[in-house]
Amino acid sequence: MKARHAALVLIALTPLAGCGQKSAPTQTPSASSAASEPVGTPSGAAPVAEASSVAPLIKAASYPPRDECADLPGWAEFRVKLEAAVAGRDVAALPALTAPDVKLDFGGGFGVKELKKRLADKEYRLWDEIAAVMPLGCSASPAEGQAKSASMPWIFERSPQDVDPYAAMLVLGPSVPAYAKESTASTVIGTLDWALVTVETYPEQGKPLAKVTLPDGKSSGFVETAKLRSIIDYRLQATRMKQGWMIDALIAGD
């Protein structure tokens, strides 16, 4: 299929066929347990200094990116090669890090040959999708011992079990303002710190704000769409094989 998931609401609210339910941890993470080597805020999600100085932080669990994969055997070497391939948009280097049967969608798209086509197709924007995923942490499975699989971003495998993955959005960054109305000139009712919110109404194309249910489950506010990411947006999944870590899924939806 050629159309990519261009709007977060389509990814968040439209389940795709042929998938299983993802696993989730039993404990709710907190900001205090972030990785010793913190992952930076993604591009396009810069903190809003003014809002944080005049509006209170909305109390909610925080899910900043964490890196559970850094100490896995061979991961550091794989990560360096992956970063270089993405930075250089290297159409030879990325497939070399990819399993022959890599899964690309839930409609039958798979394989290195298809991956190369999509990397060259501007409609997919796969290079940008991979670049956006990489600052968002990495989860290792199993969480204990010598993990053999990894997933980026971290939140995909580590969101709470009671969160609806089709509607949940991760707020990208600390001190992200929630506005009372659909205007950045309206009152800031509070700020969010890597919190999970639920999308209510996705704006028409060109409008910068989305209406969300705030973490208390009762209040509503408007948050910049550039600072929201669906739980089931693109993720990169890799498996440790005999030849090293290989990408076996680059996919969105659920």
Side-chain angles (χ1 to χ4, degrees):
M1 73 183 179
K2 188 152 184 174
R4 63 178 297 276
H5 302 273
L8 288 176
V9 69
L10 296 179
I11 296 174
L13 301 179
T14 306
L16 299 180
C19 59
Q21 180 65 34
K22 67 182 178 65
S23 60
T26 56
Q27 295 182 343
T28 300
S30 62
S32 62
S33 62
S36 58
E37 296 183 2
V39 183
T41 301
S43 60
V48 181
E50 292 184 6
S52 63
S53 65
V54 299
L57 177 69
I58 296 173
K59 292 183 179 180
S62 184
Y63 302 88
R66 298 168 206 183
D67 190 353
E68 299 173 4
C69 305
D71 295 329
L72 297 178
W75 180 264
E77 181 182 1
F78 169 78
R79 174 88 188 197
V80 168
K81 290 180 179 179
L82 179 60
E83 288 178 346
V86 175
R89 299 301 196 259
D90 193 328
V91 295
L94 187 68
L97 300 172
T98 303
D101 59 349
V102 59
K103 190 173 183 178
L104 300 172
D105 58 49
F106 293 111
F110 74 97
V112 172
K113 184 177 180 179
E114 179 64 21
L115 172 63
K116 290 180 178 179
K117 289 181 180 179
R118 297 187 184 194
L119 288 172
D121 191 330
K122 293 182 179 180
E123 288 189 28
Y124 283 101
R125 298 179 65 250
L126 274 187
W127 287 117
D128 292 338
E129 298 291 357
I130 301 171
V133 160
M134 294 188 67
L136 296 177
C138 178
S139 65
S141 180
E144 303 292 337
Q146 298 296 312
K148 293 186 178 181
S149 64
S151 180
M152 298 186 286
W154 172 86
I155 191 64
F156 177 72
E157 294 288 355
R158 297 293 181 255
S159 60
Q161 291 179 329
D162 59 353
V163 167
D164 179 359
Y166 301 112
M169 298 278 184
L170 177 67
V171 176
L172 298 175
S175 304
V176 175
Y179 299 96
K181 297 180 181 180
E182 195 176 357
S183 169
T184 55
S186 68
T187 301
V188 176
I189 57 180
T191 61
L192 296 158
D193 180 5
W194 292 101
L196 289 175
V197 296
T198 303
V199 67
E200 290 185 19
T201 305
Y202 202 82
E204 297 177 10
Q205 187 174 2
K207 291 188 177 181
L209 300 177
K211 187 176 183 182
V212 301
T213 300
L214 298 175
D216 64 7
K218 301 176 182 178
S219 308
S220 295
F222 292 86
V223 176
E224 292 184 54
T225 56
K227 294 180 171 64
L228 294 172
R229 181 180 178 88
S230 170
I231 295 297
I232 56 173
D233 203 338
Y234 267 96
R235 60 265 187 193
L236 184 153
Q237 296 172 304
T239 297
R240 183 153 53 94
M241 304 177 183
K242 290 182 179 180
Q243 65 270 45
W245 288 93
M246 302 291 286
I247 301 167
D248 56 10
L250 180 57
I251 201 165
D254 203 354

